[in-house]
């Protein structure tokens, strides 16, 4: 039987079981909630998600990210790990560190893949579901990306120089290109873009 989740009043409620939860979750629970840190170099999302075993009902919510989106995993879902609120532990299929800029550790996205059941995402603003048809391209700011299906996106910056890769600031006008057919969930952008003063190029991640 597929684990169930109920979303009401900004909280996602789950029952007894093993769950992947964001740091600091659950916010409230009955009975016990045993947190187990996941270890290992290959567990890429261990800094964002914990394994939590609950004996009864537990409620998850994040005050900094109050908007919840329930995504059923009819197809493999690639979700930004830091925005995952709760999902069945059995739904996780793997995780990876996605370099938006090749050969650079700047703007790296930690992504968790869910291959079955569902995942609840928590975001700072409301999300939109965008259908990308075959042959179409969708551009999304990295901080706005929540989750997607389909092929891996590629990075793009209108103007990029060597210093933008090496300096801590990183590029200021970075985009991710998603190619159809796919579905992309995005939230509002909270970072102002700035023009770069150097020449650039298009590149793949």
């Amino acid at each position: 039987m597929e684990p169930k989740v109920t979303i009401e009043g900004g909280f996602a409620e789950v029952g007894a079981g093993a769950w992947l939860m964001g740091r600091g979750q659950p916010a409230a629970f009955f009975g016990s909630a045993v947190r187990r840190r996941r270890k290992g170099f290959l567990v890429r999302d261990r800094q964002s998600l914990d394994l939590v075993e609950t004996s009864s009902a537990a409620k998850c919510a994040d005050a900094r990210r109050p908007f919840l989106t329930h995504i059923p995993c009819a197809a493999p879902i690639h979700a930004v790990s830091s925005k995952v609120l709760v999902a069945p532990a059995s739904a996780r299929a793997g995780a990876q560190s996605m370099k938006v800029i090749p050969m650079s550790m700047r703007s790296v996205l930690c992504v968790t893949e869910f291959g079955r059941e569902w995942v609840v995402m928590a975001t700072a603003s409301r999300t939109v579901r965008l259908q990308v048809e075959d042959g179409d391209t969708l551009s999304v700011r990295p901080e706005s990306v929540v989750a997607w299906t389909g092929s891996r996106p590629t990075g793009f910056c209108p103007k990029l120089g060597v210093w933008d890769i090496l300096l801590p600031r990183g590029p200021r006008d970075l985009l991710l290109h998603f190619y159809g057919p796919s579905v992309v969930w995005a939230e509002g952008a909270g970072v102002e873009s700035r023009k770069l003063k150097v020449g650039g190029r298009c590149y793949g991640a």
Side-chain angles (χ1 to χ4, degrees):
M1 182 177 179
E2 180 177 316
K4 294 183 178 179
V5 61
T6 302
I7 298 178
E8 184 177 0
F11 284 80
E13 180 176 335
V14 295
W19 311 96
L20 277 181
M21 293 184 178
R23 288 297 173 85
Q25 301 300 324
F29 57 91
F30 292 95
S32 63
V34 180
R35 185 180 311 279
R36 304 187 186 279
R37 293 287 298 272
R38 298 177 302 135
K39 299 180 180 179
F41 179 75
L42 297 179
V43 184
R44 303 293 187 183
D45 54 357
R46 67 186 182 277
Q47 298 297 325
S48 300
L49 302 174
D50 288 333
L51 176 63
V52 180
E53 296 178 359
T54 57
S55 64
S56 189
K59 291 181 176 289
C60 299
D62 189 333
R64 298 168 302 174
R65 298 177 292 131
F67 297 94
L68 307 186
T69 302
H70 177 271
I71 301 178
C73 300
I77 298 294
H78 306 277
V80 177
S81 303
S82 61
K83 298 181 182 182
V84 173
L85 181 68
V86 61
S90 58
R92 181 184 180 275
Q96 60 179 312
S97 295
M98 192 179 78
K99 294 182 180 180
V100 179
I101 304 173
M103 299 180 293
S104 173
M105 293 305 295
R106 303 297 176 192
S107 303
V108 174
L109 281 179
C110 182
V111 177
T112 302
E113 181 180 339
F114 296 93
R116 51 184 295 190
E117 297 165 324
W118 49 265
V119 58
V120 174
M121 308 298 292
T123 55
S125 67
R126 296 187 185 278
T127 61
V128 62
R129 183 182 184 274
L130 302 167
Q131 182 79 42
V132 187
E133 302 296 340
D134 190 12
D136 287 347
T137 302
L138 173 70
S139 299
V140 183
R141 295 192 178 279
E143 68 271 16
S144 294
V145 175
V146 176
W148 71 89
T149 66
S151 60
R152 179 173 176 167
T154 59
F156 173 80
C157 188
K159 296 181 180 180
L160 181 72
V162 175
W163 291 114
D164 296 294
I165 298 175
L166 299 179
L167 291 179
R169 68 181 187 186
R172 301 296 181 90
D173 205 14
L174 187 62
L175 295 171
L176 287 176
H177 285 179
F178 292 88
Y179 305 96
S182 64
V183 178
V184 179
W185 287 264
E187 66 167 320
V191 179
E192 294 183 1
S193 62
R194 300 181 182 179
K195 293 184 178 180
L196 302 178
K197 298 180 180 180
V198 293
R201 59 191 175 94
C202 181
Y203 51 90

